[in-house]
């Protein structure tokens, strides 16, 4: 993975109609009757870096679980033009890299290597390519040499990076991250921001860290009570104090 | 996200819901004991026990068929009783030759099989009713009042409390795994059976490690709040007149069922 530092970050929105992710009027209710998503429509273009913000319980995580078909609501979801169906699911899971909020869920193998190699192994890649991908993924998150370490003995910041490496090794087109900066100390948070800035993939990242949004994401989507209530340039939305306050957000 | 697979309490305003949990526990145990003591083939007594069960169902206002609909969970256990059909006592009814073994059902065996079935089916339904009408903490409390050893009730209470945490944890692990279980067109997907088994094995190991570490943290948190070996609870349960009445009435009904079973 080429790690190239950009000095100026383009804070403009790409001009397209959603070539990589299309969500159209998605509705979802949990089995206990709680309605989590109401008429959610969202398009993502290649190279888009989108922050998904909103209070706890707004439906952000639920929406993210629809993008790789772990949850299946009513409505249309298509990744790279492929509608989500049982048949397309394996390919879609290779296209979409979901990193869960708690890295302890993501890291279920004894060693870091086993975890990062899980995706490529499941995809049936040859052994030398698996080794190459694991090395690349660990290098991308600057965790070279951690392959033989035990996952549950790492620090929170290290676990978060390894969790991202576990999906980078699958070479996905979209990265979907659930609150990546939660629970990190300032230094680890800074390192994560640099990492996210340098990754070339399309990103949809849920977060409460609006200063990170300001710094990193050209586009911002606000969710509240299962609705998308705003979708536009982060610079504009972040200056709308009334909007932020209505939906319980603070810079 | 939570699994409610184990939580079977159904809130409702009814006489049975408001009954002292000790009475409910005693009556359930009494009912199960009474069924176990009835002789084989005492169909009239089984029918009387069934009527008692229906009456209890009706009293809970959950509907007459409430426990019946939920009783099928116990069906697989009935398979254990199938061997009773081929009891060597009694007159043979037929001879089934399965090639390697010859099975001979007898009249005595068939009666015994259906009696076991009736007993377990009735007993399971009463237990379902107990769980549906009593909150779990009340149930534990009742067992404590009935002099069940504290260690045992404490273990059960913790088991119940952390079962949900554990299933949630397992569920999240499985979800994270399926999120990365991808495939490429034209490539074999899922790796070898051995590798998959290894992954599942290490997931189980992770779950154990985490539960173990969590139990340490919980214990420290308990010590920090002054835990000294047993959990103290306030005692909100006192036997009312209606509780005594229900207890006496039901015990009399159970005795009546026994009399039908043994002297009819």
């Amino acid at each position: 993975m080429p790690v190239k530092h950009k000095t100026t970050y383009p804070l403009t929105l790409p001009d397209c109609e959603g070539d990589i992710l299309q969500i159209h009027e998605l509705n979802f209710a949990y089995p206990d009757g709680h309605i989590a998503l109401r008429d959610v429509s969202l398009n993502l273009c290649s190279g888009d870096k989108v922050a998904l913000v909103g209070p706890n319980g707004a439906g952000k995580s639920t929406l993210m679980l629809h993008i790789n078909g772990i949850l299946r609501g009513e409505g249309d979801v298509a990744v790279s033009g492929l509608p989500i169906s049982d048949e397309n699911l394996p390919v879609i899971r290779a296209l979409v890299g979901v990193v869960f909020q708690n890295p302890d869920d993501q890291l279920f193998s004894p060693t870091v290597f086993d975890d990062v190699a899980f995706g490529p192994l499941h995809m049936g890649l040859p052994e030398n390519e698996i080794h190459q991908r694991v090395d690349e993924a660990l290098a991308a998150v600057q965790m070279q040499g951690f392959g033989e370490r035990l996952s549950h003995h790492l620090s929170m910041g290290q676990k978060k990076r390894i969790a991202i490496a576990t999906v980078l090794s699958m070479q996905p087109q979209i990265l979907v991250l659930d609150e990546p900066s939660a629970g990190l100390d300032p230094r680890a948070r800074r390192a994560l921001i640099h990492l996210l800035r340098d990754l070339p993939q399309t990103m949809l990242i849920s977060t409460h860290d609006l200063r990170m949004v300001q710094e990193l994401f050209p586009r911002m989507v606000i969710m509240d009570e299962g609705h998308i209530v705003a979708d536009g340039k982060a610079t504009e939305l972040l200056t709308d104090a009334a909007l932020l306050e209505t939906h319980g957000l603070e810079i | 996200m939570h699994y409610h697979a184990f939580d079977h309490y159904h809130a409702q305003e009814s006489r049975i819901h408001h009954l002292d949990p000790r009475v409910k526990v005693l009556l359930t145990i009494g009912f199960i004991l009474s069924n176990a003591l009835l002789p084989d083939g005492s169909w009239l007594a089984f029918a009387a026990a069934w009527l008692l069960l229906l009456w209890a169902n009706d009293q809970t206002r959950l509907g007459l068929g409430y426990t019946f609909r939920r009783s099928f969970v116990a069906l697989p256990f009935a398979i254990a009783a199938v061997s009773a059909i081929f009891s060597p006592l009694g007159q043979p009814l037929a001879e089934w030759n399965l090639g390697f073994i010859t099975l001979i059902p007898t009249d005595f065996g068939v009666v015994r099989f259906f009696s076991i079935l009736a007993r377990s089916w009735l007993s399971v339904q009463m237990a379902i009713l107990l769980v549906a009408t009593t909150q779990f903490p009340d149930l534990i409390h009742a067992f404590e009042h009935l002099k069940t050893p504290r260690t045992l009730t404490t273990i059960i209470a913790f088991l119940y409390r952390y079962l949900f945490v554990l299933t949630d944890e397992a569920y999240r692990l499985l979800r994270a795994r399926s999120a990365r279980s991808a495939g490429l067109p034209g490539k074999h997907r899922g790796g070898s059976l051995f590798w998959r088994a290894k992954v599942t094995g290490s997931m189980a190991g992770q779950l154990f490690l985490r539960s173990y570490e969590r139990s340490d943290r919980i214990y420290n948190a308990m010590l920090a709040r002054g835990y000294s070996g047993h959990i103290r609870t306030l005692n909100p349960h006192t036997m009312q007149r209606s509780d005594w009445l229900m207890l006496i009435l039901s015990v009399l009904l159970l005795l009546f069922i026994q009399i039908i079973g043994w002297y009819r």
Side-chain angles (χ1 to χ4, degrees):
Chain A
M1 215 135 296
V3 179
K4 204 170 160 237
H5 234 70
K6 287 177 196 158
T7 43
T8 51
Y9 199 74
L11 289 177
T12 50
L13 306 184
D15 191 26
C16 82
E17 307 223 318
D19 54 356
I20 194 140
L21 175 70
Q22 288 175 308
I23 300 174
H24 187 62
E25 290 182 2
L26 185 64
N27 284 285
F28 180 74
Y30 280 103
D32 64 0
H34 169 69
I35 298 173
L37 297 178
R38 304 163 198 260
D39 282 336
V40 168
S41 295
L42 180 70
N43 289 333
L44 250 63
C45 311
S46 301
D48 238 355
K49 309 236 173 203
V50 181
L52 185 60
V53 302
N56 288 333
K60 304 187 297 289
S61 302
T62 309
L63 176 62
M64 293 182 144
L65 291 175
H66 277 84
I67 298 175
N68 67 351
I70 288 199
L71 296 179
R72 308 266 282 268
E74 279 173 44
D76 303 318
V77 180
V79 178
S80 254
L82 291 170
I84 289 194
S85 66
D86 289 335
E87 201 180 307
N88 288 338
L89 219 48
V91 180
I92 282 170
R93 298 231 160 121
L95 292 174
V96 182
V98 176
V99 180
F100 293 87
Q101 181 181 353
N102 185 352
D104 282 327
D105 300 336
Q106 191 101 14
L107 306 177
F108 47 70
S109 307
T111 68
V112 169
F113 177 88
D114 288 333
D115 257 323
V116 182
F118 177 87
L121 267 165
H122 199 279
M123 287 151 81
L125 296 172
E127 203 179 320
N128 56 344
E129 193 178 344
I130 290 172
H131 278 282
Q132 190 194 336
R133 281 190 177 208
V134 171
D135 289 344
E136 279 174 3
L138 286 176
V141 297
Q142 296 178 356
M143 295 287 283
Q144 299 100 319
F146 275 73
E148 298 314 311
R149 295 280 289 272
L150 304 178
S151 298
H152 63 276
H153 285 162
L154 300 175
S155 75
M156 189 63 173
Q158 290 171 328
K159 280 185 191 171
K160 290 242 175 188
R161 289 156 156 275
I162 297 295
I164 294 173
T166 62
V167 301
L168 286 182
S169 64
M170 297 163 72
Q171 301 189 349
Q173 293 190 14
I174 311 180
L175 280 179
V176 176
L177 274 65
D178 201 351
E179 300 195 18
S181 66
L184 295 183
D185 66 24
R187 189 188 294 162
R189 174 178 170 274
R190 180 51 50 196
L192 179 90
I193 289 178
H194 285 284
L195 168 64
L196 293 182
R197 189 177 60 190
D198 294 336
L199 290 173
Q201 286 86 355
T202 309
M203 282 181 199
L204 180 67
I205 294 184
S206 93
T207 183
H208 296 296
D209 187 348
L210 293 192
R211 283 191 298 143
M212 177 174 84
V213 176
Q214 208 165 23
E215 204 173 323
L216 215 51
F217 297 97
R219 181 176 162 197
M220 177 163 124
V221 174
I222 303 179
M223 277 189 88
D224 201 356
E225 294 181 354
H227 292 284
I228 288 188
V229 291
D231 181 355
K233 277 191 178 177
T235 43
E236 286 166 15
L237 293 180
L238 283 170
T239 49
D240 190 342
L243 176 76
L244 295 184
E245 201 186 320
T246 316
H247 302 294
L249 299 168
E250 252 176 34
I251 295 192
Chain B
M1 205 168 312
H2 291 279
Y3 260 125
H4 291 292
F6 314 103
D7 218 358
H8 285 308
Y9 178 72
H10 276 241
Q12 181 68 268
E13 287 292 319
S14 83
R15 199 178 295 170
I16 304 273
H17 281 76
H18 289 304
L19 208 58
D20 191 285
R22 277 167 289 182
V23 175
K24 284 190 267 188
V25 167
L26 279 178
L27 288 182
T28 305
I29 294 173
F31 184 76
I32 293 171
L33 214 65
S34 153
N35 289 333
L37 290 174
L38 286 174
D40 285 342
S42 51
W43 308 120
L44 198 63
F46 286 135
W50 184 57
L51 279 178
L52 180 65
L53 181 76
L54 282 183
W55 175 70
N57 259 308
D58 187 48
Q59 288 292 310
T60 62
R61 295 165 69 183
L62 291 170
L64 271 182
Y66 179 82
T67 57
F68 177 75
R69 284 197 304 275
R70 280 158 185 76
S71 64
F72 294 99
V73 287
L75 210 59
F77 297 103
I79 295 170
V82 167
S83 63
I85 296 176
F86 312 107
S87 164
L89 306 164
Q91 300 301 312
L93 294 174
E95 201 174 308
W96 297 333
N97 202 330
L98 301 180
F100 56 96
I101 190 169
T102 309
L103 293 173
I104 305 165
T106 61
D107 56 353
F108 177 83
V110 169
V111 167
R112 164 159 279 189
F113 170 71
F114 281 105
S115 300
I116 292 174
L117 215 58
R119 280 189 199 108
S120 56
W121 184 65
L122 289 167
S123 304
V124 158
Q125 289 197 58
M126 196 53 104
I128 289 170
L129 204 63
L130 172 70
V131 178
T133 58
T134 318
Q135 300 254 31
F136 200 80
D138 285 342
L139 211 56
I140 295 291
H141 208 166
F143 277 109
E144 277 176 3
H145 280 305
L146 296 169
K147 307 278 178 246
T148 311
R150 286 262 171 180
T151 324
L152 212 60
T153 54
T154 309
I155 289 174
I156 295 171
F158 275 115
L159 181 72
Y160 180 77
R161 168 65 183 80
Y162 288 100
L163 202 56
F164 296 97
V165 179
L166 200 63
T167 44
D168 274 357
E169 184 118 38
Y171 176 69
R172 287 198 306 269
L173 275 177
L174 290 172
R175 192 173 67 182
R177 183 181 65 173
S178 64
R180 279 191 279 152
S181 297
L184 294 174
K187 279 219 163 63
H188 172 72
R189 186 174 155 249
S192 68
L193 185 66
F194 177 70
W195 175 71
R196 283 205 303 274
K198 220 175 83 179
V199 170
T200 311
S202 59
M203 284 169 82
Q206 287 284 333
L207 210 53
F208 172 75
L209 265 181
R210 284 177 206 178
S211 317
Y212 187 74
E213 283 171 5
R214 173 173 279 134
S215 71
D216 256 4
R217 290 198 299 273
I218 292 167
Y219 186 61
N220 286 338
M222 287 164 70
L223 288 179
R225 281 186 281 161
Y227 179 72
S228 61
H230 59 88
I231 291 176
R232 291 157 205 266
T233 46
L234 296 172
N235 186 346
H237 298 127
T238 42
M239 292 285 280
Q240 308 288 325
R241 219 169 72 100
S242 57
D243 294 326
W244 284 111
L245 272 177
M246 182 60 115
L247 184 64
I248 292 165
L249 176 68
S250 305
V251 168
L252 287 178
L253 283 172
L254 287 179
L255 282 176
F256 180 61
I257 289 171
Q258 287 297 312
I259 292 168
I260 298 176
W262 287 97
Y263 298 106
R264 268 284 306 185

